[in-house]
Amino acid sequence: MKKGFIGVLLLVVLTMAAPCAGKNDAGRQENAITRETIKIAYLPITHSLPIFAEAELQKDNPAINIELIKYGSWPELMDALNTGRIDGAIALIQLAMKAKEQGIDLKAVALGHTDGNVIIVNNNINRTADLKGKAFAIPHRQSSHHILLRQMLDNAGMVEQDLNIVELPPPEMPSALANGSISGYCVAEPFGARAVALGTGKVLYYSEELWDHSLCCSLVLNNSFIKNKSAAAQELVSRYGEAGKYISGNRDEEERIAAEYLGVDKKVLDLSLQWISYSNLEITAETYSSLTDKVKRYGLSQNPPTYENFVNPALLDK
Ligand code: ZN
């Protein structure tokens, strides 16, 4: 009887212990695999600074591992985003809106920056009308730079056809201005600051003088990533907002991180960072509505995605 009782007791202990051991193993496995690697593409511009800062600040985050992938141009970066080779990118919001319009399921979750663009002209140009008949470069038709140019022309009573608008890769713009093949340009930074630092160009307008609360770059995520990896997406975007605030309140760190990722000289960087802000990266319905109005007015798109379909503001901590 006693022997039988011990046998039953042993069996009970074993059956109780077995699921416990299994659960602990599973727990350990879960911990080992929950550090989600998130692939984010970027271009080496000051407009991408919060994601550089986040990658540095979160390098020991147990939940996410941010893998930054550098691209050389917007079309290459958008191709990687649109074909799902990456989870997200810091991209021109207008390019992401166009992709969404064409059926790619993307969501804009935060801004890359606020303000931070300038209209650069050669030293002989003193007002918009002086640009009549001259060549002016933008990086892409689908860009805030194109909108800023069109707004400037509008304000001066001029139209697109009054000058020769050309698309150039951003790094070529300062030298094109210096050699006289263009008379002005508007592009992501630090390429505007470079012409000013070299003395070959000057600022005709700051973006906020032409378009209050302008929208330019955005943290854009594939919606499948948000749906399938919701905890990682939440962590990424919350920490992204924090990184923006961190560099806004810490100029030395802002400069150090920018120098590390952009490799530009201090004079250019100092100038460029004076023009830009990262403290509030929320995309509001009001600012998005002003963007869609301009996108329609200047012919970038007649059917831009709605705020409800394209923007997911909920992941960013306010
Ligand atoms: Zn930008």
Side-chain angles (χ1 to χ4, degrees):
M1 282 293 284
K2 203 176 174 190
K3 202 174 172 185
F5 175 74
I6 290 170
V8 169
L9 190 66
L10 192 63
L11 188 66
V12 169
V13 169
L14 281 175
T15 44
M16 281 173 71
C20 256
K23 193 177 173 200
N24 284 345
D25 282 352
R28 271 195 296 275
Q29 273 175 15
E30 208 174 286
N31 278 340
I33 59 167
T34 46
R35 190 163 197 235
E36 199 68 58
T37 291
I38 307 171
K39 293 182 176 180
I40 303 287
Y42 73 96
L43 255 51
I45 52 179
T46 54
H47 297 195
S48 308
L49 201 51
I51 199 71
F52 304 155
E54 183 183 10
E56 285 228 358
L57 293 169
Q58 301 305 321
K59 59 177 182 287
D60 298 322
N61 186 316
I64 55 170
N65 169 39
I66 301 168
E67 183 186 335
L68 294 181
I69 305 167
K70 182 175 167 179
Y71 281 83
S73 72
W74 292 121
E76 287 172 285
L77 175 143
M78 286 308 297
D79 186 59
L81 184 62
N82 294 346
T83 54
R85 299 205 301 277
I86 50 176
D87 300 307
I90 303 293
L92 289 173
I93 196 165
Q94 297 83 1
L95 284 173
M97 288 161 78
K98 201 49 146 180
K100 174 73 181 174
E101 201 183 315
Q102 290 164 351
I104 312 285
D105 196 8
L106 301 178
K107 291 279 184 190
V109 297
L111 291 174
H113 58 96
T114 50
D115 302 330
N117 286 301
V118 288
I119 301 267
I120 293 287
V121 291
N122 75 35
N123 293 318
N124 302 322
I125 305 284
N126 295 311
R127 55 197 184 109
T128 310
D130 296 343
L131 285 165
K132 204 160 190 166
K134 306 270 188 351
F136 190 99
I138 54 172
H140 200 287
R141 191 174 167 77
Q142 298 296 335
S143 68
S144 46
H145 312 100
H146 181 207
I147 295 174
L148 288 164
L149 167 63
R150 298 292 297 278
Q151 183 69 61
M152 179 183 78
L153 295 177
D154 231 357
N155 294 355
M158 291 167 68
V159 292
E160 191 181 4
Q161 291 75 17
D162 284 332
L163 35 78
N164 175 23
I165 302 175
V166 294
E167 287 183 11
L168 275 186
E172 292 178 21
M173 294 187 192
S175 53
L177 186 78
N179 70 27
S181 54
I182 57 172
S183 296
Y185 62 88
C186 183
V187 72
E189 282 297 312
F191 302 108
R194 190 162 285 160
V196 177
L198 287 170
T200 53
K202 63 183 180 187
V203 176
L204 189 61
Y205 287 106
Y206 297 93
S207 47
E208 57 272 30
E209 296 178 296
L210 298 167
W211 173 11
D212 202 23
H213 300 293
S214 56
L215 271 60
C216 178
C217 300
S218 169
L219 173 59
V220 179
L221 300 177
N222 266 309
N223 202 27
S224 59
F225 165 72
I226 299 176
K227 284 189 199 155
N228 299 334
K229 308 278 173 61
S230 57
Q234 177 65 72
E235 181 71 1
L236 173 79
V237 182
S238 301
R239 301 296 183 184
Y240 176 80
E242 281 176 22
K245 289 187 170 63
Y246 174 77
I247 47 176
S248 294
N250 195 333
R251 188 57 190 261
D252 289 347
E253 275 293 272
E254 183 185 31
E255 287 219 7
R256 182 189 65 77
I257 295 168
E260 191 178 319
Y261 283 85
L262 305 177
V264 292
D265 80 52
K266 190 170 167 13
K267 192 177 172 191
V268 173
L269 207 51
D270 276 351
L271 201 53
S272 196
L273 293 176
Q274 280 172 28
W275 301 336
I276 200 161
S277 172
Y278 307 103
S279 58
N280 181 0
L281 302 178
E282 184 187 358
I283 308 172
T284 65
E286 291 77 14
T287 55
Y288 187 76
S289 160
S290 125
L291 169 66
T292 52
D293 286 349
K294 289 179 193 296
V295 153
K296 286 191 243 180
R297 189 186 327 149
Y298 298 131
L300 279 68
S301 166
Q302 288 318 311
N303 193 25
T306 63
Y307 184 79
E308 291 68 28
N309 275 335
F310 177 60
V311 180
N312 181 343
L315 298 174
L316 190 72
D317 294 338
K318 306 299 180 312

